[in-house]
Amino acid sequence: EAVGEDVFILACTAPLMASVGLADGIRTSVDIFENYDSLLRVFGRSLNRTYLSDGLLTNDTDCILIRKSGNEDGECFRNCVRTDREIEAYLTAFAASGSPMIHSDKLSLLSAEQIKLLSYLSPLSEKAECPYFMNQTIPCVLDFGRRGNFEILAFINWGEKKENFTVYKKGFVFEFWRKEFYGYSDGGMTVEVLPHEAKLFTVGNGSGVFPVGADDTLIPSLTWAYDKDGTLKIYPIKASEGIYVYSDGEIKASAACEKISEGVYLIKNEKNSSEVIAVKRTSGV
């Protein structure tokens, strides 16, 4: 009553269910520390408690640390030692937790590439479902459901050996971190995930020319439609967001267009705006 309605109250080291109705959010994990093992402790708790975000409490996964030892300025007690691959897994799991983003890095010491990594979390995602959490100490399969015209699915290999996972959704598959197009999944596509690695997939359907992914958001809510003449109209969610498009022929776009692999193009609006992008196939089947 004292703080008013426009304040977010975050409970930490508090009993979970007893805080419902008193706090807006609650810490559901231990503190984050500098090494990979810390991620196991944090997400072994947080991802198993995402049910609290179903109208009870906002799930808080502690502050976010993506810095590396090269970013320290001599005032830190513990240098962060996570690898690039582990940081990608960290960000993927963080997005799945539905947690608010509270920074604990000195942002002025981060590189432009690291700031870009943080921007991938915007807009913040709603929590993912963990369909096999009863069989996993730390959820490895993270299902974000339908966002815009995509189904979004992530796999994280928390262990020390390569693991195979199944893309159980049907559609054309694109992986965010490696920017790889996998082709069509009939619901049984097998993908290999290295130790400490995350793979984050958008799965969508289309024919002729259609979007397969985005380059600036971990969990895109991308939508698109076709005009009567077959022109593809894409509605980006962030200014200057790059959209990956598959086409079975050559294309022409209303924004900068670069062919990055067979059949896959990166289309980027260089006007720093979220204007609709038009794409038309100029040759092909």
Side-chain angles (χ1 to χ4, degrees):
E1 293 173 352
V3 299
E5 294 294 327
D6 59 344
V7 171
F8 186 92
I9 299 176
L10 177 62
C12 291
T13 320
L16 298 179
M17 300 308 293
S19 299
V20 175
L22 299 176
D24 300 294
I26 191 163
R27 170 81 71 78
T28 55
S29 73
V30 295
D31 292 347
I32 186 70
F33 285 105
E34 77 285 356
N35 53 26
Y36 175 73
D37 286 347
S38 175
L39 300 184
L40 305 182
R41 294 189 293 272
V42 165
F43 291 108
R45 292 162 174 80
S46 179
L47 291 178
N48 281 311
R49 291 169 169 168
T50 56
Y51 66 87
L52 290 168
S53 293
D54 291 331
L56 297 176
L57 292 159
T58 297
N59 184 19
D60 173 50
T61 308
D62 199 12
C63 54
I64 190 165
L65 302 175
I66 68 159
R67 66 180 180 265
K68 300 167 73 173
S69 58
N71 300 116
E72 305 294 7
D73 60 1
E75 296 182 357
C76 184
F77 291 108
R78 301 181 179 185
N79 287 348
C80 287
V81 293
R82 283 186 280 270
T83 66
D84 291 337
R85 184 184 297 166
E86 290 165 355
I87 290 170
E88 291 169 0
Y90 181 7
L91 291 171
T92 304
F94 190 92
S97 73
S99 177
M101 185 161 47
I102 304 171
H103 294 292
S104 193
D105 293 313
K106 290 185 178 179
L107 298 182
S108 62
L109 299 180
L110 298 182
S111 67
E113 291 78 12
Q114 289 169 310
I115 295 294
K116 184 70 172 176
L117 284 176
L118 292 175
S119 77
Y120 290 159
L121 290 169
S122 176
L124 281 172
S125 169
E126 298 175 7
K127 70 178 180 69
E129 299 296 330
C130 306
Y132 306 113
F133 78 98
M134 293 291 287
N135 301 322
Q136 301 164 346
T137 302
I138 311 174
C140 305
V141 179
L142 308 172
D143 191 333
F144 292 86
R146 178 166 289 277
R147 306 295 171 93
N149 288 13
F150 285 135
E151 294 277 351
I152 302 178
L153 186 65
F155 305 120
I156 302 179
N157 182 356
W158 299 109
E160 303 302 322
K161 297 180 180 179
K162 290 186 292 186
E163 296 283 351
N164 289 327
F165 293 86
T166 301
V167 179
Y168 53 81
K169 297 177 182 288
K170 294 183 178 181
F172 291 90
V173 178
F174 187 83
E175 202 283 313
F176 175 84
W177 291 113
R178 301 292 169 261
K179 306 299 187 283
E180 292 179 353
F181 180 62
Y182 281 63
Y184 185 80
S185 167
D186 62 359
M189 177 185 286
T190 299
V191 296
E192 183 181 86
V193 184
L194 299 176
H196 302 193
E197 182 182 42
K199 287 195 172 177
L200 177 61
F201 295 103
T202 48
V203 184
N205 286 282
S207 61
V209 54
F210 53 93
V212 293
D215 76 341
D216 205 29
T217 308
L218 285 175
I219 315 298
S221 297
L222 196 66
T223 58
W224 62 88
Y226 296 91
D227 284 350
K228 291 181 179 180
D229 65 356
T231 299
L232 172 67
K233 294 290 186 69
I234 307 171
Y235 303 89
I237 59 173
K238 292 176 70 174
S240 298
E241 180 173 31
I243 309 298
Y244 292 94
V245 169
Y246 175 82
S247 176
D248 57 13
E250 298 298 317
I251 63 172
K252 182 179 180 180
S254 62
C257 180
E258 176 188 2
K259 188 172 185 178
I260 64 168
S261 63
E262 186 59 36
V264 179
Y265 300 80
L266 174 60
I267 300 174
K268 195 132 187 160
N269 192 338
E270 296 179 333
K271 299 177 182 179
N272 197 34
S273 69
S274 54
E275 293 181 6
V276 175
I277 297 173
V279 182
K280 190 171 181 62
R281 190 172 44 165
T282 59
S283 67
V285 178

